[in-house]
Amino acid sequence: MHILMVVPGWPQDSFWDVLYYKFPPLAMAQLAGSTPSRHRLSYVDESLAPVDFSLEPDLVAITVMPPLAPRGYETADRFRATG
């Protein structure tokens, strides 16, 4: 099974977007580290790299904080639209 874990990026020009130091979401990193090795795992933090929407994962896990929810919903919608 291919699992894609996504941490949405902060909205551009927001207070958090302009900070050099970003706080990594440790819950998603913990889940990634706890995933059995028999699964193929991809991990994307949009603060560091864009999401590749051409991937065809079996499962997409998205974590959000309230200000990131709109981007999380957008990401989910794009993957949901591809099946």
Side-chain angles (χ1 to χ4, degrees), residues 6-47:
V6 179
V7 179
W10 290 95
Q12 288 187 341
D13 301 322
S14 71
F15 172 76
W16 293 103
D17 180 55
V18 298
L19 289 178
Y20 177 73
Y21 179 74
K22 306 267 196 280
F23 298 95
L26 299 179
M28 190 65 91
Q30 177 66 36
L31 286 172
S34 300
T35 301
S37 59
R38 68 180 177 271
H39 300 293
R40 181 173 160 226
L41 182 68
S42 300
Y43 185 98
V44 179
D45 184 336
E46 280 194 307
S47 295

Side-chain angles (χ1 to χ4, degrees), residues 53 69-79:
F53 289 101
R71 178 61 183 155
Y73 296 145
E74 190 178 294
T75 300
D77 289 343
R78 287 200 51 192
F79 278 108

Side-chain angles (χ1 to χ4, degrees), residues 25 35 58 63:
T35 301
D58 299 301
T63 186

